[in-house]
Amino acid sequence: MRGEVKLTAKKINRRKKTYKIVKILLLVLILIVTLLYLIFTIIYNGYDFTISLDEDLYYDNKIIIYDSKDYKVFQRQLKVESLEYFDNITESWLPTDINDYDGSHNGENYLAYSFYIENMGEEVADYYSEIAIDEVIKNVDSAIRMKVYFDGIPTTYAKLSQRGTPENGTTPFYSDNQIMVQHVEDFKPGDVHKYTIVLWLEGKDEDCTNEIIGGEFKAHMTFNSEIIK
C-alpha cells in the first residue's frame, strides 16, 4: 500500500511539472508570435487622420467640406478611419478605381479617403489646402508616399531621396513639415472639387529598410483662407 501511495505521489508531481512546462512553452510561443508580428509590421499609426476647414471660409464664403453627397452641412472637421498598422506595399498594388468612392475606403496596408469641398455661397472665392506633417519617428517619412487626387488628377508626393533628387514618379514634399500646399482660385458659387487622399509605405523605396520598423508617421490636412506658415 505504501508503495502505491509513493507511486501516486510521484505521478502527481510529474504531472504538475509537465503542466508547468507546457504553460511556460505556451507563454514563450505567444511572446514569439507577438514579437514577430511587431517586427514584420513596419508603421504603427494609432490616430485619426483629420481634415479641417477654417471657419472663416464657411462664415465669409459659405464653403463646406463633406464626404457624402447626401449630407452637405457645415462640418469643422472630417475624421478618416485610420489603419492601426501599415506594412510596405508598392503603388502598382493600389486599386485602379481608388478615386471612385466616397469617405473612408481603406485597403490592406493603405489608407484611402475621398471627400468634397463646395462653394455654397454667392461670391467667387479662393482657398489654400495644406497637408502638414505632425510627427515622424525613425525617419519613416523617407519611404512614405501620399497620392492626392484633385478632381480625378493624381499627384504622388514623396520626400527627396538621399541624393537630394525626387523619387521616381513623385513630386517632392513642399517643405520639411509640409507635404503639399495648394492655392485654388476662381472658386465659383456651385463649384465642387473632389479630393482623394491615399497613404502607403512604398516597398520599392531604397529607404524602406529594417531601420524604420516600429516608426510612426502622423499628418493632417487643412483648408484655410490664407497660407499657414
Side-chain angles (χ1 to χ4, degrees), residues 170-224:
T170 71
T171 296
F173 286 175
Y174 184 83
S175 68
D176 290 340
N177 58 1
Q178 294 166 301
I179 294 174
M180 177 204 82
V181 173
Q182 176 196 38
H183 185 200
V184 175
E185 300 180 277
D186 198 29
F187 194 35
K188 300 182 180 67
D191 281 356
V192 180
H193 295 310
K194 180 178 182 179
Y195 289 85
T196 294
I197 310 298
V198 186
L199 176 70
W200 74 96
L201 189 71
E202 180 51 58
K204 291 184 177 180
D205 193 303
E206 63 182 356
D207 293 311
C208 189
T209 65
N210 290 341
E211 302 299 319
I212 64 174
I213 288 176
E216 290 189 22
F217 178 82
K218 298 183 180 182
H220 70 276
M221 186 174 190
T222 56
F223 289 89
N224 301 294

Side-chain angles (χ1 to χ4, degrees), residues 107-124:
E108 187 173 359
N109 294 311
Y110 68 85
L111 179 149
Y113 185 79
S114 299
F115 66 98
Y116 304 87
I117 183 168
E118 181 172 350
N119 184 350
M120 299 189 73
E122 299 178 351
E123 298 180 1
V124 176

Side-chain angles (χ1 to χ4, degrees), residues 9 39 42 44 51-52 60 63-64 74 84 109 130 136 140 162 179 201 204 211:
I39 287 171
I42 296 180
Y44 170 72
I51 299 162
S52 302
D60 295 342
I63 291 174
I64 65 171
F74 170 63
E84 189 174 2
N109 294 311
E130 172 197 8
V136 175
V140 75
Q162 296 178 5
I179 294 174
L201 189 71
K204 291 184 177 180
E211 302 299 319

Side-chain angles (χ1 to χ4, degrees), residues 84-98:
E84 189 174 2
Y85 295 100
F86 285 82
D87 204 345
N88 68 90
I89 60 173
T90 190
E91 186 170 5
S92 62
W93 296 4
L94 298 173
T96 56
D97 62 348
I98 203 165

